[in-house]
Each structure stands twice: as C-alpha cells, then as structure tokens.
Amino acid sequence: MKKVIYSSLALLAGVLMVASCKKNEIKYGDFDLVGANQALFKVNFLSQYKTNPSVVFSIDGKRVNNPITARTPFPGGGLNTGGGSTANYMVFNSGTYNFSVIIPSKLTNEDSLVLYKTSISLEGGKYQTLHITDTAITNGQDNTFSTMVTDDLNRPDTSTVRYRFVNLMPNSPALNLYYDSTLVAENVAYKETKIFTKPASLVAAKAGWWVRATGVTTGAALVTYTTEAGVISSQANQRVFTLFTSGYLGLASPDTRRPYLSFVFNL
C-alpha cells in the first residue's frame, strides 16, 4: 500500500498533492525519501460543538484543507471517523508555524470565526499528529486543548499490530481499554496516551473494543467499537493505528457530541 503525500512548498503555494507516479511514491516509514529537513504532519480535530460546524485549518495564514467536521483526521482517515481510508500526511519544511482552526463564512473565502490558534513545531524526519479537543462541555477558544504526538511509523513485526491509545474525552475518568475480554491499556487519564501491540488475527463478530472507567469491570461499557468489518480492519497485519476516545459522557444519539471510540490510520 502506498501513501499519497501532500507538500506545502514551504507554504508559498498552499498544499499541493504530489502525483502518485513511481518517482514520488513514499513507502511507509522511509524518512530518507522525504528529506531530513522535512516534517510529516496531520490533524485529528475532535472539538465537539452542538452544531458540528465545518472548519478549515490555516497554517501561517494559508488554508490547507477543504471544510471538514469534527472527528475527521486530515489528511487521510480512519475507522468510525470522517475522511478517507488512507494514512496520508502533509509535508512541510521543519520549523515553527502558526496554526488556526477557523469556521469560514458560507460561500466566501473569508474567515468567520477563529475557534482555536496555537504555535506548532514540526520536526524534520518525523511523523506528527496534532490532536485537538475541548476541555469542558462549554465551548470556546479558552476551553480548547491540543497535543502534538510523534507517530512511530516503523513497521511492526509480522503478525502484529501497534496501537497508540489516546484519551481525548474531556469529562471522562481514567480509562481502561479492552480488546474483547483482554485489558490492553490501563488507567489512561484524559490527555494521556499508552502504546501497545497485539497479534493480528481475524476475529469473530462478537469481539470488539471496549472502554470502561478504571476500576470498573461490570456493567455497560462507556463506549465501544464492535462493528465486525471495522474490528477486523483495525487488526490488519503490520499496521499502525491511533485509537482514541472523544466526545462527552452523558450525551446520546443524535447529539454529535456523544462519546466515540475511533481509529486514525497512521501506517
């Protein structure tokens, strides 16, 4: 599987998709084909607003995406998310940039409301993901939190899958993550992360991913991901995923701010 890489051209011309001809193909984890001074970057936008507005990302004043809604990794996609089915990253020269999340005015190129802004540091030769979420049910720029994570894209050993579990559910207790009945990540507080590996294997439809509060072993799970196709996809051999919680406990469908358990494709 090959990854389509995006290039910023130092942000002078916005984000440009590099054609997938053979000379521009980037193999997973091959940093030397990118360049020691180039950084690979994606955004996992999880700030949950009741109206679920479409947003764009601006880097040093240049928009880098078409409008997307919350729980949509960009570029690329994941499971139980918006976006596509690829593990794409953007490519930038290493350095420090101004990053903003903006609600654009309808049918214009103008900015309507800046939801969040921060400074990001992109490191050469590394894959990095900026995860963005809210710190409280009350919305607003002051309540938004982001964390930059360096993704390990070294291919796992054969017949294994590597996961990073990130708790990005603002009103959650510390969480335990289970695959079927097996505890795979324990006591992960809000904003914290745990890395684990597990064997890759096709599974029965009854198996799935479950999240419970640390110390709670019975009763309904706080959030689950149990669709058969998705559970099988999340265990593809030698893949790398970020598995994350988002939303708010206590909210239910059709509220788009309800809890989710989802995956980002990293490799």
Side-chain angles (χ1 to χ4, degrees), residues 178-220:
Y178 295 82
Y179 177 73
D180 204 9
S181 59
T182 302
L183 178 63
V184 292
E186 185 175 11
N187 198 32
V188 183
Y190 174 55
K191 304 179 184 179
E192 289 189 352
T193 178
K194 293 283 179 71
I195 297 174
F196 63 96
T197 59
K198 66 180 299 296
S201 60
L202 298 183
V203 293
K206 67 178 181 179
W209 297 89
W210 315 79
V211 170
R212 298 184 186 277
T214 297
V216 177
T217 57
T218 61

Side-chain angles (χ1 to χ4, degrees), residues 21 27 41 48 52-53 57-58 66 79 88 105 114 139 143 156-157 181 216 227-228 264:
C21 59
K27 297 180 180 179
F41 173 62
Q48 304 283 59
N52 197 22
F57 307 132
S58 173
N66 292 323
L79 300 169
N88 295 354
S105 296
V114 177
N139 297 313
N143 296 318
D157 291 339
S181 59
V216 177
T227 62
E228 181 177 6
V264 174

